[in-house]
Amino acid sequence: MNTLRKAAVWLDDRLHLTALYASTAGHEVPKSAGSWFYVFGSATLLCFVIQIITGACLAFVYIPSTNEAFTSLQYLNHAQFWGWYLRAVHNWGSNFMVAIMTLHMIQVFLFGAYKYPRELTWVSGIFLLVSTLAMAFTGQVMRFDQDAYWGLTIGASITGRVPLIGAQLVHLLLAGPIIAGETLSRFFTLHVFIIPGLIIAIVSMHLRLVLTKGINEYPKPGHPVHRGTYDAEYAEILRKEGVPFVPHAIGKDLIFAALVIVGILGCALVFGPKGPGGPPNPTIVDTNPRPDFYFLSIFAALALLPDWMEVLILFVAPALILIFLLALPFISGTGEKSATRRPVAVLSVVLIMLVIGVLTYMGETSPWSPHMSAWSGNSIPARYVKGRTPLQLRGALVFQNKQCRNCHALGGEGGERGPALDAVATRLTRDEMVRQVIQGSGNMPAYGKKLSPAEVEALVSFMETLHPPGVPGARPSDKPQNKLPRDIASLHHRLR
Amino acid sequence: MSLARGSAVVLVWVVLLAGCEPWGKPAAPQKEIAEDFQTLFRENCSGCHGEDGRGGPGRILNDGLYLAFIPKASLRKVIEEGRKGTAMPAWARSEGGPLTEEQISVLVDGMEKNWAKKVNLRGAALPAYEAGAVTGDEMRGNKLYLRDCFACHAKGGIAGPLTEPAYLALTTKQNLRTSIVVGRPDLGMPDYRVLNRGRPLSEQDIADLVTYLMGKAASK
């Protein structure tokens, strides 16, 4: 016994284990910080650890080559014993990580934890947010399926629009002008080595800051932060009601960690892995690629923004958001911490989450995506065929054959990108239809070069028949057929 | 609950669960290519030819007379290569289309099997699918047009004019010939058996009509 004790003392003397424990797990935190609201940070870290473990296991099998990435995922899904589950846990781990990280960020914001003296904790957290989203994006590329291919294509197209150095940036991103074998190697390196390394480094700093600057006390309304007095107040709180993190405050973290693990393992079991969906072949146009859920809102915003907003949303907005997030603790580093006294902060969170939520929903349903098989698979409603002239029937064929149907519904079937055309003749005159078809406008491409004059003629004469029975077609505004103005004019004439 | 009973319950659950496939397990990759006639037709043809091969703006396919008129080899060729000058695109992979040889066979066989039936020709000879050596007479075709077509195909008539240049630019000789022979029973147009005031049109009549209409296209 004595020998064992001696050995332990010797080890402690050399490794300073007691001191390490006292300054980390044993460090004092305000008792009020042992709250259910304070569990999200450790849960995010837990997700990251799960990602590292499952990611390392996946790396044993995954082959980062364009020829074999898809096959190696198929192997995991179908041949390797419970290989699909490994993929599923990694996928759901990432979903949980992004979700819980978001909760952590919201909590820190609403509890004013980013204020003096924890500015750098927040700033390092912002870098972790960016790194985690970068992990999510590069991870999506690892699947190297259609979603990955088109996600990359969109990313590269956006990058290519950076002024002056766009082409060089695309080269940097894709390791060449196009998506090729080197692209996957590059993203593999980023996803497996560089970004995780960065995250580990920033997390270390993040945690060190938590230890040195302490965990934010549960904010009380009416206790604003002042630069001159806060440090003394915090020391007083610790002196009065400080408890060691382990074992007093860690209990709820552990329970939440267990819930997260059960959640990830359960979701993985029930919902399984994502993809890989379809080989990344740009010649397959009959595809409906969409990003993973954390990018669905961006996907929706990009799809919906009007063209004059493109530069604003693509470049100005992300830069502004990032600058604002980084500057936040310096802009409002003092003052009230409690959410009950910060209505603007609460409303901002509600508004931002609503916008992101709605955009995510839009991204999931993506009503703007053309239905690529509508032209050959959705028949023209019989009522639009009966009683039509040979030319109008040709026009209906042009309508299908030139894939107008993929964006424009008839009888409730077809794409929703453009307006349904069941009553187009009540909105547009013949000339306006011709102009719209030939020149396009807004999101509609110009079809002038893709249609012969006869095809335009046929198409427009078909569309002219598209109005509800009894409702007259649109008339040119310069040729009023309404009798009233002329009658008034003649009356006026007669009266004179 | 005693420990033994508890462990028994857990054991039963484990055994039950072990027998199940987890919901999340990806299904084995399936053949993605559709191979049944109904699906193939619905996904690829119904857009123009109608839900059930009839009632669409494109040629009626679900029709005994049409399937008797067109030789199987021609039907296959039209699907594979499309029809230049009309809206029919090429469907064979070899022509840049989406369908395999087998899928096209399924379509051709499926149309024959499901829709071909014996047609009563009422004593009239069934014209050959492709126009033969008969030379059409434009002047006679004009007369025939006024006699046999004009009642419906006059301007403002119930079927609308055939002589509009844009229509004629989007059709072909073969297309007109097929339309005259098989009509559009789904849209109310009679076929060659009755177009001549209740009597059949002859091979010469059909050639004359086609020549007249295509001459209209050329003159505009």
Side-chain angles (χ1 to χ4, degrees):
Chain A
M1 194 63 203
N2 224 357
T3 330
L4 260 181
R5 195 184 157 76
K6 266 186 190 161
V9 169
W10 181 86
L11 264 181
D12 189 43
D13 182 58
R14 298 302 185 276
L15 294 175
H16 294 257
L17 289 176
T18 317
L20 183 68
Y21 179 87
S23 62
T24 54
H27 84 287
E28 296 232 308
V29 298
K31 204 167 174 219
S32 60
S35 148
W36 280 113
F37 287 109
Y38 282 61
V39 297
F40 301 121
S42 65
T44 311
L45 182 61
L46 170 76
C47 289
F48 181 59
V49 172
I50 292 177
Q51 290 308 88
I52 288 186
I53 295 169
T54 51
C57 293
L58 285 173
F60 281 120
V61 179
Y62 182 74
I63 306 166
S65 114
T66 42
N67 283 333
E68 285 159 283
F70 194 79
T71 331
S72 62
L73 294 183
Q74 293 290 353
Y75 172 81
L76 275 166
N77 265 7
H78 303 295
Q80 171 70 45
F81 179 71
W82 281 73
W84 67 271
Y85 192 64
L86 189 61
R87 288 199 59 227
V89 173
H90 197 64
N91 176 47
W92 282 97
S94 77
N95 287 348
F96 270 71
M97 184 165 170
V98 174
I100 298 174
M101 179 186 66
T102 310
L103 289 176
H104 179 49
M105 189 173 162
I106 292 174
Q107 180 269 325
V108 165
F109 177 68
L110 288 181
F111 279 52
Y114 61 89
K115 295 188 181 218
Y116 177 88
R118 302 187 181 84
E119 298 95 336
L120 285 183
T121 324
W122 171 267
V123 169
S124 59
I126 296 302
F127 283 111
L128 283 174
L129 166 79
V130 174
S131 312
T132 306
L133 290 180
M135 280 305 275
F137 185 77
T138 52
Q140 178 183 301
V141 174
M142 292 300 101
R143 281 204 300 273
F144 219 62
D145 54 5
Q146 286 173 354
D147 291 353
Y149 182 89
W150 293 108
L152 262 181
T153 305
I154 293 172
S157 315
I158 294 173
T159 314
R161 289 178 60 168
V162 173
L164 300 177
I165 50 164
Q168 283 79 359
L169 282 181
V170 170
H171 199 287
L172 186 70
L173 183 75
L174 299 183
I178 55 160
I179 298 165
E182 293 87 348
T183 315
L184 185 56
S185 304
R186 179 153 298 196
F187 276 83
F188 181 75
T189 312
L190 284 172
H191 186 74
V192 174
F193 298 108
I194 296 177
I195 308 176
L198 263 178
I199 292 184
I200 291 173
I202 307 174
V203 163
S204 310
M205 178 182 172
H206 199 63
L207 288 180
R208 191 184 146 71
L209 285 164
V210 171
L211 290 178
T212 50
K213 290 294 160 194
I215 293 180
N216 188 32
E217 77 282 2
Y218 199 101
K220 282 192 208 124
H223 283 70
V225 178
H226 295 293
R227 281 212 172 78
T229 55
Y230 179 79
D231 288 326
E233 283 167 24
Y234 189 73
E236 181 64 17
I237 292 172
L238 281 190
R239 199 184 58 77
K240 275 216 279 216
E241 46 165 287
V243 289
F245 179 66
V246 178
H248 284 85
I250 202 176
K252 293 186 174 114
D253 286 277
L254 290 180
I255 293 172
F256 190 68
L259 286 178
V260 168
I261 290 176
V262 169
I264 292 176
L265 296 183
C267 283
L269 198 66
V270 175
F271 301 110
K274 189 166 182 248
N281 183 343
T283 62
I284 302 172
V285 290
D286 185 7
T287 171
N288 195 6
R290 58 191 60 233
D292 290 351
F293 93 88
Y294 9 82
F295 297 120
L296 278 174
S297 54
I298 300 176
F299 170 63
L302 295 182
L304 292 173
L305 59 88
D307 37 9
W308 60 268
M309 255 195 201
E310 277 172 10
V311 174
L312 200 70
I313 299 280
L314 295 183
F315 301 112
V316 181
L320 281 184
I321 291 173
L322 195 62
I323 290 171
F324 175 77
L325 285 176
L326 290 175
L328 179 71
F330 306 102
I331 299 169
S332 86
T334 54
E336 277 289 348
K337 277 184 180 178
S338 172
T340 56
R341 295 279 175 95
R342 290 164 61 219
V344 176
V346 176
L347 284 176
S348 310
V349 170
V350 170
L351 184 72
I352 291 168
M353 292 325 282
L354 267 179
V355 169
I356 292 178
V358 169
L359 284 175
T360 301
Y361 172 76
M362 299 290 291
E364 184 56 42
T365 49
S366 63
W368 55 81
S369 288
H371 295 191
M372 296 307 280
S373 54
W375 70 281
S376 66
N378 292 151
S379 53
I380 301 253
R383 62 182 185 280
Y384 300 151
V385 177
K386 284 243 158 70
R388 301 307 198 257
T389 70
L391 181 65
Q392 289 159 354
L393 290 178
R394 289 281 128 175
L397 287 179
V398 173
F399 187 79
Q400 296 289 98
N401 179 265
K402 297 296 174 183
Q403 312 198 349
C404 308
R405 194 71 180 274
N406 292 4
C407 291
H408 295 286
L410 280 183
E413 284 183 329
E416 298 168 81
R417 168 120 213 165
L421 297 183
D422 295 271
V424 66
T426 63
R427 300 193 299 270
L428 299 180
T429 65
R430 183 185 176 82
D431 290 348
E432 285 168 333
M433 287 184 208
V434 171
R435 194 214 60 74
Q436 182 68 25
V437 168
I438 290 179
Q439 296 183 345
S441 71
N443 277 319
M444 175 162 165
Y447 279 84
K449 288 190 176 161
K450 297 186 184 113
L451 296 172
S452 69
E455 283 171 326
V456 175
E457 171 86 21
L459 181 59
V460 170
S461 29
F462 169 64
M463 289 201 293
E464 276 187 291
T465 69
L466 296 177
H467 55 82
V471 179
R475 288 189 301 260
S477 54
D478 60 340
K479 290 182 196 133
Q481 304 205 336
N482 194 327
K483 289 248 162 58
L484 198 60
R486 208 189 305 153
D487 288 353
I488 289 175
S490 62
L491 191 67
H492 186 65
H493 193 74
R494 239 180 284 162
L495 284 176
R496 264 201 318 186
Chain B
M1 198 188 283
S2 72
L3 191 66
R5 250 181 85 187
S7 0
V9 169
V10 169
L11 197 70
V12 166
W13 270 108
V14 168
V15 170
L16 280 178
L17 282 178
C20 305
E21 284 280 277
W23 293 337
K25 187 174 179 182
Q30 287 173 344
K31 253 194 183 170
E32 276 178 32
I33 295 173
E35 275 181 350
D36 69 291
F37 171 66
Q38 302 297 343
T39 313
L40 277 175
F41 189 85
R42 193 185 61 244
E43 287 178 354
N44 300 293
C45 317
S46 68
C48 292
H49 294 288
E51 203 77 47
D52 196 26
R54 52 194 298 133
R59 169 81 52 225
I60 182 170
L61 303 176
N62 183 355
D63 179 53
L65 182 58
Y66 175 70
L67 290 172
F69 176 59
I70 187 167
K72 211 169 165 181
S74 303
L75 184 60
R76 187 178 182 95
K77 196 167 133 77
V78 172
I79 299 176
E80 282 178 346
E81 299 171 11
R83 266 278 186 227
K84 262 223 158 83
T86 75
M88 177 73 179
W91 291 91
R93 294 240 165 123
S94 54
E95 303 288 326
L99 300 183
T100 63
E101 292 288 304
E102 295 78 46
Q103 288 177 309
I104 292 176
S105 299
V106 170
L107 280 172
V108 173
D109 295 341
M111 278 188 253
E112 292 277 338
K113 194 170 146 260
N114 290 288
W115 297 335
K117 45 182 180 258
K118 204 146 172 56
V119 192
N120 175 10
L121 294 176
R122 305 188 197 178
L126 182 64
Y129 178 65
E130 277 167 51
V134 185
T135 324
D137 177 346
E138 208 174 326
M139 291 298 281
R140 188 165 176 272
N142 191 359
K143 279 187 193 145
L144 290 179
Y145 183 74
L146 294 174
R147 187 190 75 189
D148 299 334
C149 314
F150 201 67
C152 297
H153 283 298
K155 213 167 199 170
I158 56 166
L162 282 167
T163 45
E164 279 177 285
Y167 168 71
L168 292 170
L170 298 173
T171 192
T172 60
K173 274 184 182 172
Q174 179 62 54
N175 205 18
L176 287 171
R177 179 181 174 80
T178 307
S179 291
I180 295 169
V181 172
V182 304
R184 280 305 298 260
D186 49 343
L187 299 180
M189 173 177 168
D191 57 64
Y192 83 106
R193 290 172 296 184
V194 292
L195 271 176
N196 179 6
R197 297 161 294 172
R199 292 193 302 279
L201 291 169
S202 69
E203 186 71 54
Q204 182 68 49
D205 295 340
I206 298 167
D208 293 346
L209 279 168
V210 171
T211 310
Y212 164 69
L213 285 170
M214 291 318 279
K216 274 277 196 200
S219 67
K220 293 269 171 168

